[in-house]
Amino acid sequence: MSVDEFVEDAGLFYERLGLSRTSGRVMGWLLTASPSGASGASGASGASGASGADAPELAEALAVAKSSMSVALRQLEQAGLIERFRVRGGRRDRYRLAEDVFARAFRAKMSEFESFRALAEQGLRAVGDDPERRRRLELMRDMYAFMMDRFPRLLDEWDELKDQR
């Protein structure tokens, strides 16, 4: 598999998660960008994982319109997956993966667990005492309560393991 194929697969993967395909392709490109300054995908130069890339570089590397790139970068920045920065003396904003991007994204998703649990509680109030109708809602509530309890510990373990790497 080539880096270009990985970037395209990342686009499809993130699209299934609710982001735009271009946003997913940006993630794939940034994940594979070489820290030495050469791109991971499509041969664009001057961008790296550490120093990031500016919007025109990304648009060129991924062969997308600048307007599409602008929307994708805004979506990724709002989701906390990338961060915008400017190199001292630079004239353009650059973009790079956020620090520990996947743990941050997972922590953000964990905040949704409480919403799911609360929705299940609402459903339980709506259906009353009928055991058949309650069963699914109780499973939903209990599963999300379980995840709310266990996942923070898993992320703490991950932080310890990551620091040892």
Side-chain angles (χ1 to χ4, degrees):
M1 168 176 276
S2 71
V3 171
D4 286 336
E5 290 171 317
F6 171 77
V7 168
E8 295 305 318
D9 286 349
L12 293 170
F13 179 84
Y14 280 96
E15 186 177 45
R16 285 190 298 270
L17 295 177
L19 295 174
S20 71
R21 187 175 301 190
T22 299
S23 293
R25 292 176 68 219
V26 170
M27 287 296 294
W29 193 94
L30 290 172
L31 282 165
T32 58
S34 168
S36 67
S39 152
S42 301
S45 62
S48 74
S51 64
D54 64 29
E57 289 171 328
L58 287 165
E60 181 181 342
L62 298 174
V64 299
K66 290 179 184 177
S67 60
S68 295
M69 183 55 61
S70 176
V71 170
L73 292 171
R74 186 170 36 257
Q75 184 180 47
L76 291 169
E77 187 177 13
Q78 289 172 347
L81 297 173
I82 64 170
E83 50 194 25
R84 181 176 17 169
F85 68 101
R86 189 169 288 188
V87 175
R88 185 177 180 156
R91 298 174 68 181
R92 287 193 172 138
D93 289 337
R94 299 185 71 75
Y95 299 87
R96 64 182 167 216
L97 291 175
E99 185 67 31
D100 202 11
V101 61
F102 299 107
R104 286 180 64 187
F106 196 80
R107 280 183 173 88
K109 280 292 187 191
M110 283 178 28
S111 67
E112 295 176 7
F113 294 168
E114 173 56 26
S115 298
F116 280 107
R117 192 203 59 75
L119 180 64
E121 288 288 348
Q122 182 182 2
L124 287 167
R125 288 190 302 275
V127 299
D129 293 334
D130 180 347
E132 288 295 316
R133 296 168 73 196
R134 293 183 64 82
R135 189 176 56 81
R136 289 184 301 266
L137 292 162
E138 288 169 344
L139 283 173
M140 177 182 173
R141 177 201 59 202
D142 295 347
M143 183 193 75
Y144 282 106
F146 175 83
M147 291 192 303
M148 288 168 52
D149 178 60
R150 298 291 173 90
F151 281 174
R153 287 185 273 178
L154 285 173
L155 284 169
D156 290 343
E157 276 185 60
W158 166 247
D159 287 339
E160 289 176 23
L161 181 65
K162 177 187 68 183
D163 291 343
Q164 296 171 7
R165 298 179 89 189

